Structures are given as structure tokens and as C-alpha cells.
Amino acid sequence: RRCGLAAGRSYSGGGAYPSVSLTCPLPGVPKAVFAAAESRERFETRVTVLENGLRVASQNKFGQFCTVGILVNSGSRHEAKYLSGISHFLEKLAFSSTAQFGSKDEILLTLEKHGGICDCQASRDTIMYAVSADARGLDTVVNLLADVTLQPRLSDEEIEMTRMAIRFELEDLNMRPDPEPLLTEMIHAAAFRDNTVGLNRFCPVENTDKIDRDVLHSYLSSYYTPDRMVLAGVGIEHEQLVECARKYLLGVEPVWGTGRSRGVDRSVAQYTGGIVKVEKDMSDVSLGPTPIPELTHIMIGLESCSFLEDDFIPFAVLNMMMGGGGSFSAGGPGKGMFTRLYLNVLNRHHWMYNATSYHHSYEDTGLLCIHASADPKQVREMVEIITREFILMAGAVGEVELERAKTQLKSMLMMNLESRPVIFEDVGRQVLATNTRKLPHELCALISQVKPTDIKRVVTKMLHKKPAVAALGDLTDLPTYEHIQAALSSKDGRLPRLYRLFR
């Protein structure tokens, strides 16, 4: 008779039931009872519109802490009538002194009592003020957010400190080894020349001395209005958030007053295509014991679609299917080693340092682009390889690779939404753009419905546009823009001819 450890080993090894498949329940064992999720209504995003047009959105998520913030429909794309760089200034000035709080330190000490942290991020179309803190301090948090957003002091000393911080950031941007932020600016400037999302997200050096309190107040009076704001919260009761919103955000006179608005820029993005080149010596960007080799960076993009369109989901799947990354990445589950840019580019061309796909999407347009890096002597061949990948997108899409991309996209979506701050941003951005929110299970259902024909349709539409090109580094061997445009407008049957364009 065997007992103890030996018996356990025999059971776990399947010796006790040698003929029962692992996919079948064991005979004689009671049927498993699984926990069921509560009704879905409890987890839906609730939205209330106040009398002044402010939207209040909340999402239940149990736990001691909450994330609450104000999102404003304002960003660098709205600066056409103003000095470029205002949003960059506002981002740096956030959570400084206000009507109630004498300094940034006072704000941080107030949040500290509730275990809180704060942050502000400005993008091309949104400025987001957010606080994560103990849910019991909600009243204090909303009061602080209202004060920071509508009652900032913007003292001369704070503005001068912001100027210094921005100058330092601009210097750092041009010196850092990772060129992605700079290339992202360049590709947007090339794709949407001098309009909307093509306007510079960073303050130009020449504007740092021109932006003062009057300029900021003039901008704020146009864009920081209740109808362009959402108060979003995750981890709190909706009624409690609405009550706080009424208390601190209803009928509040902003520090810049009313009636000074110069009007809201409602321009729709105009895709232009084009090229932005920056000749730069990249040989000493990263020195030290393991320096990054000298590289030339190319980003090629084509107009995709708005996140409000039905084609947004197929484009997101396409972006996941292209994938990519750096040549130094190790393999393993979930690393995306079966994406096209890994299989067709990095695995076949050892000299390619990086090949990554990105998808930027906005309320009225979008941009799908591929960033590639290689030695300056290989630039011509690198451009040829990347243009080929764009054209091959319109070819056959394998069922296995499509299903893998869809599964990976759903997995990434659900994993990201495990984080409370990410849920907060998702709730705020969706409600700001559409007054409602698509829940994760709805998005997963839409992803599951994508077919190979959908991918081919969106790619065919995309390839009819002029390309946008950003190039950084030693550009001696860079093909002309006309060559790149001719290559991308070619059809499958002319592929061999297109390669001769580069030689």
C-alpha cells in the first residue's frame, strides 16, 4: 500500500486514471462550481452632464485608492491662432500655486495626507490633469483639481522656471540616444504640414520668451470651458463624484474671467504628405563602455483613419500584425517574434537595428508608420525594404497570422486595462470624444470580427495617399522623396521595377 508523497506523485502523474484525457473531467469527482461575475451593469461607465456642459464620468473598480482627473479638449493642434508651445507651457505649469494653494509644495503636502500623487500630460489633442489618492479624500482631490485647472496663479517666477525647464528639455530631446520623440514630431509635421496635428507639440525655442501670463490667459479663456472638459474617476461611486463636481466645478469663475475668447479652432486635419529631413551627426549620441553604433533613422507613414471610424479596429489589428521592435530583443511567448517586421525584416537582414510599426489615431485622422534604423551606408536598402513591407500589406493575409494578431491585440488591451490609471485615461478620452465609452468586451467582439478582406480594404485605401517621410542622421544615401512616393504607389505586379528605382 502506497501513501503520503508517493501516492501524491502517482495521482499527479495521471497513473490513477491512465485512460482519461486531460480535456475530460475525472470520473467520480464532483462537478466544479466556478465563481460568476456580477451583473455587467455594475461595471459600465456612467456619464452625467452638468448644467454648464461639464461631463462627469465614472467607472467602478474596487479598492482603497481611486484615480480622478480633468481632461480638456485642448492641445498643440489648437494653437494655430496662438503662439506654438502654449500646451507645453501649461503641462509644465500644472499643479503650481493656485488661488487656494500657495505653492506646489503645499499641493503635494495636501495630497500626501491622502497618499496621493499627481501628474499632467499634454498631447496633440488633450490635456490631462490626474490625481491618484485614497478614495476617502475624494472631496479634497476634486477641490484641488478644480483649483489647479481654473484658478492657477501663473506667477512670473513660475513662468520663468517653466521657460528654463522647457529649454533644458529641448536640448535633451536633441541629445538623447532614443530619437523616437523627435521622429514622431517630424513625421506628424511631414504628414500634416502646418495644420492641426502637424503643429509642433514642443515649444519652439524662439517662443519661450514670448509666452507670458496674458498669452496663457487668452488661450485658456477659449479652450478651458466646461463644455470642453470631462471629470473622470475610477474607483469611486458615481453619485459622490457628481456631488463633488457640482460643489467645485459648477458656477466657478475662472481666474482669466469670461468674454475674452478668441474662438475655438475647429479645423479638420488636412493630410498633405511630404518629407522632413534633419541632417545630424549621430556618431557620438551614445558614448560609454557599450555605445550605440552610429545610425540613420527613417520613419515612413501613410494616412489611416480616425478612432471614430469603423476602420479603426482593422488598422489596430494591422499595426499589431506588423509589430516589430529592436534587433536585440530576445524571443519567447508574447514578444511578438512572429510579426511581419520580425520575420521579414529583422530576421532576414542582420544589419537592421530596429523596425517598429506605430499607429497614431485622432478624432479626424490617423497615421500608420514604420520606424527603421540602420547604418548610414545601408539607408537606401533600408528604405527599399520598408516600402516593400507597406506594399505587401495589401497582399494575402494568412488566417493564422491574422488570428495571432487579433489575440495579441485583445491580450494587450485587457492587460493594459488591469491598471487603474489606464482605465481612467480610457474613460476620460472616450467620453471626451464621444460622450460614451465602449467597454472592453465590446472592443474584443469588434476585434474578433476583423477578416482578411478588411485588412486588404484599409491597406488599399491607405496606399493611394502620398507618403509622409521623416529622416534623421547621415542622409547621404537617402533616396529622393519622389522615388519613395513612386515605390509606394506601385502595385504588386510592378515590384521588381520599383526596386530598380533605388539603384
Side-chain angles (χ1 to χ4, degrees):
R1 167 179 160 79
R2 291 182 299 171
C3 60
L5 185 62
R9 280 179 180 160
S10 173
Y11 183 80
S12 63
Y17 299 97
S19 60
V20 178
S21 166
L22 291 175
T23 58
C24 300
L26 296 176
V29 176
K31 187 177 179 182
V33 179
F34 296 100
E38 296 186 49
S39 61
R40 191 170 281 156
E41 287 71 30
R42 291 196 61 178
F43 305 100
E44 287 184 354
T45 303
R46 295 179 62 186
V47 181
T48 298
V49 183
L50 301 189
E51 292 81 351
N52 62 356
L54 178 84
R55 286 156 285 180
V56 182
S58 73
Q59 176 78 40
N60 259 336
K61 184 172 175 65
F62 300 103
Q64 185 179 346
F65 282 78
C66 65
T67 299
V68 182
I70 292 176
L71 291 92
V72 189
N73 185 6
S74 157
S76 57
R77 70 169 295 164
H78 300 108
E79 293 170 1
K81 298 178 184 177
Y82 297 86
L83 287 169
S84 177
I86 290 176
S87 298
H88 196 184
F89 259 78
L90 291 172
E91 179 185 51
K92 299 292 179 202
L93 284 163
F95 294 100
S96 297
S97 63
T98 69
Q100 286 184 51
F101 301 92
S103 67
K104 187 163 199 162
D105 288 343
E106 202 175 314
I107 287 176
L108 296 177
L109 282 169
T110 303
L111 288 174
E112 204 172 276
K113 292 172 186 173
H114 301 284
I117 55 172
C118 61
D119 186 31
C120 177
Q121 292 180 9
S123 62
R124 288 186 153 74
D125 52 2
T126 311
I127 294 182
M128 180 172 64
Y129 301 80
V131 171
S132 286
D134 192 302
R136 290 170 294 186
L138 180 66
D139 191 81
T140 303
V141 166
V142 176
N143 177 28
L144 189 150
L145 282 166
D147 217 42
V148 163
T149 312
L150 300 175
Q151 305 285 334
R153 283 187 186 169
L154 304 178
S155 69
D156 292 339
E157 185 184 354
E158 288 168 346
I159 289 174
E160 189 54 44
M161 289 294 289
T162 299
R163 288 188 182 120
M164 291 171 61
I166 285 175
R167 288 189 195 112
F168 176 80
E169 188 176 341
L170 293 175
E171 284 182 31
D172 179 62
L173 193 68
N174 288 307
M175 291 167 61
R176 65 172 63 179
D178 176 22
E180 192 190 315
L182 202 55
L183 280 166
T184 301
E185 288 304 303
M186 291 166 63
I187 196 73
H188 278 83
F192 305 93
R193 191 170 292 277
D194 298 328
N195 75 92
T196 58
V197 294
L199 299 178
N200 202 333
R201 193 169 69 84
F202 298 103
C203 180
V205 179
E206 63 271 15
N207 285 356
T208 51
D209 289 324
K210 298 175 185 175
I211 294 175
D212 56 20
R213 190 191 295 112
D214 289 339
V215 172
L216 294 171
H217 278 184
S218 174
Y219 179 86
L220 290 166
S221 66
S222 295
Y223 290 97
Y224 276 45
T225 54
D227 58 302
R228 298 179 67 83
M229 293 181 179
V230 168
L231 174 67
V234 176
I236 33 80
E237 293 296 331
H238 185 72
E239 289 75 14
Q240 193 182 356
L241 187 62
V242 171
E243 185 184 329
C244 290
R246 289 187 183 280
K247 187 175 176 182
Y248 297 113
L249 288 160
L250 199 58
V252 177
E253 175 84 11
V255 71
W256 48 84
T258 53
R260 296 174 52 187
S261 172
R262 288 172 59 178
V264 171
D265 182 12
R266 304 190 187 280
S267 304
V268 176
Q270 302 297 315
Y271 181 82
T272 60
I275 186 167
V276 173
K277 298 189 288 186
V278 175
E279 287 270 2
K280 188 178 176 187
D281 180 9
M282 307 285 280
S283 58
D284 60 349
V285 166
S286 176
L287 302 175
T290 54
I292 295 175
E294 181 184 356
L295 299 170
T296 293
H297 302 273
I298 305 293
M299 198 177 268
I300 299 176
L302 291 163
E303 187 180 23
S304 58
C305 74
S306 151
F307 58 67
L308 299 175
E309 295 178 46
D310 292 339
D311 282 345
F312 172 68
I313 299 293
F315 268 117
V317 174
L318 171 65
N319 181 54
M320 192 59 68
M321 197 166 74
M322 298 307 295
S327 59
F328 55 83
S329 292
K335 286 303 292 276
M337 301 298 279
F338 288 96
T339 61
R340 286 192 180 186
L341 291 179
Y342 263 116
L343 290 174
N344 302 344
V345 179
L346 294 169
N347 284 359
R348 294 184 184 179
H349 307 283
H350 65 89
W351 45 267
M352 287 282 280
Y353 190 85
N354 175 62
T356 312
S357 175
Y358 297 95
H359 187 217
H360 306 277
S361 197
Y362 306 96
E363 203 170 337
D364 51 358
T365 188
L367 192 64
L368 183 84
C369 42
I370 295 176
H371 168 207
S373 310
D375 185 276
K377 297 182 182 65
Q378 305 278 8
V379 168
R380 188 170 291 269
E381 197 174 350
M382 173 170 65
V383 172
E384 178 181 312
I385 288 164
I386 296 307
T387 52
R388 180 189 67 197
E389 287 305 312
F390 269 110
I391 292 168
L392 291 177
M393 288 180 193
V397 178
E399 197 63 44
V400 173
E401 77 167 337
L402 181 63
E403 286 305 314
R404 183 186 288 119
K406 283 154 60 172
T407 303
Q408 199 172 348
L409 181 59
K410 286 187 277 190
S411 171
M412 190 179 75
L413 172 70
M414 301 308 287
M415 190 175 288
N416 285 340
L417 291 173
E418 288 289 319
S419 164
R420 189 183 61 252
V422 174
I423 298 174
F424 155 77
E425 188 173 347
D426 184 48
V427 169
R429 285 183 179 276
Q430 285 203 49
V431 172
L432 193 64
T434 66
N435 297 319
T436 185
R437 180 188 178 223
K438 275 193 172 75
L439 293 176
H441 72 273
E442 296 176 82
L443 292 170
C444 286
L446 291 171
I447 293 167
S448 298
Q449 291 168 16
V450 174
K451 300 180 178 63
T453 51
D454 297 322
I455 301 293
K456 190 161 186 174
R457 185 188 74 252
V458 298
V459 171
T460 303
K461 187 169 70 172
M462 183 174 70
L463 286 172
H464 284 307
K465 304 286 178 69
K466 288 170 62 178
V469 181
L472 176 68
D474 180 351
L475 308 179
T476 309
D477 292 334
L478 179 71
T480 65
Y481 177 75
E482 288 71 25
H483 281 166
I484 298 171
Q485 184 180 356
L488 281 169
S489 63
S490 299
K491 301 296 182 286
D492 288 1
R494 287 171 55 193
L495 274 172
R497 192 170 154 209
L498 106 83
Y499 292 154
R500 283 196 292 275
L501 287 170
F502 293 108
R503 291 182 165 83

